């Protein structure tokens, strides 16, 4: 399907402005239309520019060849039975909340009876967050560490503790003008184990741009776990290992990965308490998405709405499938 090049025009949006811009269902459809066809309708089949709007089916019909285009195709809203107003409100709340929204609370506020409906919507939005972040690569110096999430049973780091999921956290680090370290892009993935092979695979996947072969990651900073030494040798990248005299030192010596782990643990002990390991990856994606956009303030809603409007949806059945770990 042909699409025009999308040029996002992100705007600041407070709750006040949101309520003015999106008063009714039609306003949401107009927004989607403008995002999809910034220069006016173009038929994907014949490139005709005249169309009919079939409001009962939310379809555009090409006036030239009669081809029907769903306005929600290629968005997370495709085939939804929930009003776009409710979707947009949920996106607003998820984009502006610091720690994530409670499904029960949103169920009440959006006046949706079924918990599952709101839960599924939230996971579709998380999928859009993950898809958006997948477009960005890690580069330069990357601080990386693992952490355990889930119900606890002590286990071995190399093989993974039982009942818990090992999560690899990796964050690009850059220096500002005054030479001060700043965290750049962050990623977090559930991994099956902390072996060199697994870590290498994740770093290659996140550190090589599309259609390129060169690894953008030049150096890793770690606690010196043996896998990382192998990884740095195999990938021919630098390795800065911090010396931990006390486990508490990790917060000082690997500050950025530990800040992200802290964010995630706060979320998982708050609004998303007791999440199933099956869905953990999407919650991690949400934490990273938020971390990666912490300075974008009131553009947050527009950016997330754009992400949701430019990626394919996921069905409830697909959401319930077992997550394949890296
Ligand atoms: Zn046409």
């Amino acid at each position: 399907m042909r699409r025009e090049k999308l040029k996002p025009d992100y705007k600041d949006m407070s709750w006040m402005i949101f309520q003015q811009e999106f008063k009714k269902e039609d306003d949401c459809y107009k927004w989607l239309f403008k995002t999809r066809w910034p220069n006016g309708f173009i038929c994907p089949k014949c490139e005709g520019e005249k169309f009919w709007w079939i409001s009962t089916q939310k379809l555009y019909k090409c006036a030239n060849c009669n081809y029907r285009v769903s306005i929600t195709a290629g968005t997370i809203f495709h085939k939804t039975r929930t009003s776009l107003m409710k979707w947009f409100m949920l996106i607003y709340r998820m984009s502006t909340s610091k720690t994530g929204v409670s499904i029960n609370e949103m169920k009440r506020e959006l006046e949706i009876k079924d918990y599952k409906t709101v839960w599924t919507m939230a996971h579709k939005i998380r999928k859009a967050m993950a898809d958006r972040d997948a477009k960005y690569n890690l580069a330069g110096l990357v601080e990386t560490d693992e952490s355990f999430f889930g119900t606890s049973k002590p286990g071995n780091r190399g093989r993974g503790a039982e009942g818990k999921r090992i999560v690899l956290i990796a964050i690009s680090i850059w220096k500002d003008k005054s030479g001060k370290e700043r965290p750049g892009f962050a990623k977090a993935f559930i991994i099956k184990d902390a072996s060199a092979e697994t870590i290498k695979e994740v770093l290659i996947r996140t550190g090589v741009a599309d259609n390129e072969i060169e690894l953008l990651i030049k150096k890793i900073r770690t606690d010196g776990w043996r896998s990382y030494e192998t990884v740095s040798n195999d990938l021919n990248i630098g390795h800065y290992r911090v010396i931990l005299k006390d486990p508490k030192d990790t917060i000082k010596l690997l500050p950025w990965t530990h800040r992200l782990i802290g964010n995630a643990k706060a979320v998982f002990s708050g609004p998303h308490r007791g999440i199933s390991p099956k869905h953990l990856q999407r919650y991690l994606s949400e934490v990273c998405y938020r971390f990666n956009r912490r300075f974008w303030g009131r553009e947050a809603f527009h950016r997330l709405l754009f992400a949701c409007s430019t990626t394919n949806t996921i069905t409830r059945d697909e959401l319930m499938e077992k997550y394949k770990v890296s």
Side-chain angles (χ1 to χ4, degrees), residues 41 43-48 62-67:
F41 178 85
C43 170
K45 210 172 157 197
C46 76
E47 304 198 350
C62 172
N64 182 42
C65 74
N66 285 339
Y67 187 78

